């Protein structure tokens, strides 16, 4: 055990005897020198035109401590990802999920919809899938964090996502989205799109994506949707035609009037879009979690017994908030977490034991789901503080690209906790599971 400020090696033999849970509670060896990491990241951002001090502007974006996860836990999360992908391919599933949806949501551009983020809580009963996101931030930021990763554990006791492959996967996913939505021409121009992008918390990551694309010979701009222009059968930024939009907008269905130019161009195949509204409806709408725990529905989708059992085990009980169950859910509110069906980033989400009568009265029936509370994992620090954490699996087409943790205190992940933020994950071998 070690609490030095720099990555340590003195506790190798001590820590190597622990399982992942013991490591999370008793190993305080930093995996990251935050001062050195911030300096390296700021140098990369400066090369992209952003001269800021992340230590000041984003003081709680990165955690120095790693989170340890055993190989069997990672395998269970990977199995859950594959089960979801199998379910989404079901025609019955798509018919049910998309029934009555808007034209933009119904429209099938032909691609999966980009990188996904599967968020899990990890406890004694194994990983529990609490939500799926279609525009998960942090991949390239966490890649740089992983590249700076150092740990007190000997190499033979750890398995990690190979950071050297993550950039390749990220660029390959965007190329694949373009290939499947286009007529086969090479990808030459990309726009990273968000509302007021320079004011977004993860704007530094936009710059990392821009630099990555340019290194691969692809022109890339970062823009607000208001800057888009339609000329004939093409979408433009200034004088540059845009092939593909990497979409970070949180108007997932492109329903807002300020996104009409983008919506029309997308529906007329004047631009490729990733992620797109259909993907959000199929993966990220939280009402889908309710369907994933319904054995009859899974059987109607043609899901095999193993995949169905995986989903029923890994997804916490989830129900719609409706007139029929409103009184019962209020009476048992301490058991439930209430989330907007199409929400993101924990906005307007409430733990039942914290919710007030006023807030409860404002929750809209049909627009909220109640998910049974699953306690997150905990990570101890040398200062006797305890952090909660969740695990995010970045995936594309069922393949796990990277596994990261988010450490926090409070109800939900917030990037406001001193000592918290994105945390590197070390996947450890488990002798108890018979893995040498």
């Amino acid at each position: 055990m070690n609490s030095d400020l720099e990555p340590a090696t003195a506790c190798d033999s001590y820590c190597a005897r622990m399982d992942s849970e013991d490591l999370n509670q008793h190993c305080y060896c930093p995996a990251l020198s935050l001062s050195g990491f911030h300096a390296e990241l700021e140098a990369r951002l400066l090369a992209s035109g952003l001269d800021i001090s992340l230590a000041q502007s984003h003081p709680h974006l990165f955690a120095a401590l790693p989170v340890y996860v055993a190989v069997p836990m990672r395998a269970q999360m990977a199995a859950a990802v594959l089960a979801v992908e199998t379910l989404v391919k079901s025609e019955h599933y798509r018919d049910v999920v998309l029934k009555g949806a808007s034209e933009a949501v119904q429209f099938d551009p032909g691609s999966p919809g980009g990188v996904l983020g599967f968020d899990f809580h990890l406890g004694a009963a194994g990983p529990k899938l609490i939500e799926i996101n279609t525009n998960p931030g942090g991949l390239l930021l966490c890649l740089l964090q992983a590249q700076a990763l150092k740990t007190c554990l000997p190499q033979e006791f750890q398995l990690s996502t190979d950071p050297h492959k993550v950039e390749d996967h990220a660029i390959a996913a965007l190329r694949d989205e373009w290939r499947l939505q286009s007529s086969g021409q090479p990808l030459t121009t990309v726009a990273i799109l968000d509302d007021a992008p320079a004011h977004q918390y993860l704007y530094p990551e936009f710059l990392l994506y821009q630099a990555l694309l340019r290194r691969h010979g692809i022109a890339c701009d970062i823009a607000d949707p208001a800057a888009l222009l339609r000329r004939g059968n093409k979408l433009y930024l200034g004088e540059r035609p845009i092939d593909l939009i990497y979409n970070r907008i949180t108007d997932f269905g492109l329903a807002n009037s300020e996104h009409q130019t983008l919506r029309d161009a997308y529906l007329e195949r004047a631009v490729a879009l990733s992620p797109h509204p259909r993907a959000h409806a199929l993966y990220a709408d939280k009402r889908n979690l309710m369907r994933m725990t319904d054995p009859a529905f899974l059987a109607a989708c043609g899901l095999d017994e193993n995949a169905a059992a995986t989903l029923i085990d890994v997804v916490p009980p989830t129900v719609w908030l409706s007139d029929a169950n409103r009184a019962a859910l209020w009476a048992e509110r301490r058991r439930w977490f209430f989330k907007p069906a199409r929400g993101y980033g924990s906005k307007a989400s409430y733990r039942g034991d914290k919710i007030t009568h006023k807030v409860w009265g404002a929750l809209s029936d049909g627009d909220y789901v109640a998910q049974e509370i699953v306690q997150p994992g905990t990570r101890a620090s040398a200062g006797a503080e305890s952090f909660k954490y969740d695990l995010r699996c970045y995936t594309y087409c069922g393949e796990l690209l990277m596994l990261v943790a988010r450490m926090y205190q409070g109800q939900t992940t917030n990037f406001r906790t001193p000592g918290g933020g994105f945390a590197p994950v070390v996947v450890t071998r488990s002798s108890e599971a018979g893995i040498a």
Side-chain angles (χ1 to χ4, degrees):
M1 207 162 32
N2 193 295
S3 58
D4 292 346
L5 293 179
E6 296 296 325
T9 57
C11 58
D12 286 4
S13 60
Y14 180 86
C15 290
R17 294 194 297 270
M18 297 184 189
D19 63 20
S20 58
E21 182 55 29
D22 284 336
L23 286 165
N24 284 329
Q25 300 309 317
H26 302 295
C27 181
Y28 313 134
C29 311
L32 201 67
S33 168
L34 284 180
S35 58
F37 175 62
H38 277 142
E40 179 182 350
L41 180 54
E42 287 163 16
R44 293 204 185 193
L45 295 175
L46 181 60
S48 298
L50 184 63
D51 184 9
I52 63 170
S53 168
L54 281 178
Q56 295 181 2
S57 64
H58 294 65
H60 312 309
L61 182 58
F62 298 104
L65 289 174
V67 168
Y68 296 96
V69 176
V71 165
M73 292 292 190
R74 183 177 67 173
Q76 291 177 46
M77 288 186 281
V81 169
L82 289 176
V84 170
E85 291 289 354
T86 302
L87 178 63
V88 170
K89 290 181 174 68
S90 161
E91 184 176 351
H92 180 70
Y93 176 85
R94 293 174 180 239
D95 287 345
V96 171
V97 170
L98 300 175
K99 183 178 180 180
S102 69
E103 182 184 7
V105 172
Q106 294 271 3
F107 180 71
D108 184 0
S111 74
V115 171
L116 301 173
F118 285 72
D119 294 345
F120 293 87
H121 279 179
L122 197 61
K128 300 297 179 183
L129 178 62
I130 57 172
E131 64 182 50
I132 305 172
N133 297 283
T134 50
N135 59 352
L139 178 62
L140 293 191
L141 290 165
C142 292
L143 164 62
L144 295 183
Q145 188 180 37
Q147 289 172 335
L149 174 68
K150 295 181 181 179
T151 172
C152 64
L153 287 181
Q155 186 64 34
E156 62 267 24
F157 282 88
Q158 61 177 296
L159 301 169
S160 320
T161 304
D162 184 352
H164 302 293
K165 296 181 180 179
V166 173
E167 279 193 349
D168 292 340
H169 286 305
I171 198 74
L174 290 172
R175 288 187 188 277
D176 195 48
E177 291 288 300
W178 165 248
R179 178 182 62 82
L180 293 170
Q181 293 189 43
S182 70
S183 58
Q185 297 299 313
L187 176 61
T188 60
T189 58
V190 170
I192 300 170
L193 211 65
D194 204 347
D195 297 309
H199 297 285
Q200 297 296 330
Y201 185 68
L202 291 184
Y203 178 66
E205 183 174 54
F206 297 176
L207 293 171
L208 294 176
Y209 266 102
Q210 183 182 54
L212 172 63
L213 286 158
R214 288 176 174 176
R215 287 199 302 274
H216 283 262
I218 300 169
C220 180
D221 293 300
I222 302 169
D224 185 287
L228 296 173
L229 299 172
R230 182 72 180 274
R231 296 174 187 158
N233 193 34
K234 202 69 179 176
L235 208 55
Y236 283 76
L237 277 173
E239 297 303 314
R240 177 177 290 167
I242 301 301
D243 293 335
L244 171 71
I245 287 175
Y246 173 33
N247 177 24
R248 296 293 288 257
I249 299 169
T250 54
D251 173 18
F252 301 112
L254 302 181
N256 296 343
S257 58
E258 58 264 34
H259 300 142
Q260 182 175 346
T261 298
L262 172 61
R263 180 175 64 249
D264 291 347
Y266 168 64
L267 291 175
E268 295 167 21
R269 296 190 179 274
V271 72
L273 184 67
S274 179
H276 48 68
R278 183 182 178 91
H280 184 271
L282 292 173
Y283 289 99
D285 190 312
K286 295 176 181 62
R287 291 172 296 185
N288 296 333
L289 297 169
M290 178 197 71
R291 299 175 177 115
M292 292 176 189
T293 59
D294 182 345
F297 177 75
L298 297 178
C301 291
L303 212 61
D304 66 54
E305 291 184 3
N306 287 337
T310 294
L311 289 178
I312 291 170
D313 177 64
V314 80
V315 180
T318 307
V319 298
W320 283 338
L321 173 61
S322 67
D323 287 337
N325 62 17
R326 195 181 219 356
L329 288 173
W330 172 255
E332 296 184 349
R333 62 191 178 278
R334 293 179 180 275
R335 175 189 166 194
W336 300 99
F337 206 109
F338 298 92
K339 304 178 179 182
R342 301 176 186 86
Y344 65 96
S346 302
K347 296 179 184 295
S349 296
Y350 307 95
R351 278 181 62 105
D353 57 352
K354 305 291 186 181
I355 202 166
T356 65
H357 284 275
K358 181 178 180 180
V359 169
W360 178 253
L363 300 191
S364 301
D365 294 349
D367 290 333
Y368 267 76
V369 299
Q371 184 181 76
E372 189 171 67
I373 291 175
V374 178
Q375 296 301 328
T378 58
R379 179 65 167 104
S381 72
E385 287 184 297
S386 181
F387 296 90
K388 302 171 185 176
Y389 71 84
D390 67 7
L391 294 169
R392 169 165 287 181
C393 295
Y394 294 96
T395 74
Y396 184 64
C397 292
E399 181 178 1
L400 199 157
L401 309 184
M402 175 169 274
L403 177 61
V404 304
R406 297 180 296 178
M407 289 171 41
Y408 64 100
Q409 293 172 338
Q411 289 193 55
T412 58
T413 54
N414 49 45
F415 296 105
R416 292 193 295 269
T417 302
F422 285 121
V425 168
V426 174
V427 183
T428 62
R429 298 184 185 273
S430 171
S431 58
E432 292 88 347
I435 300 176

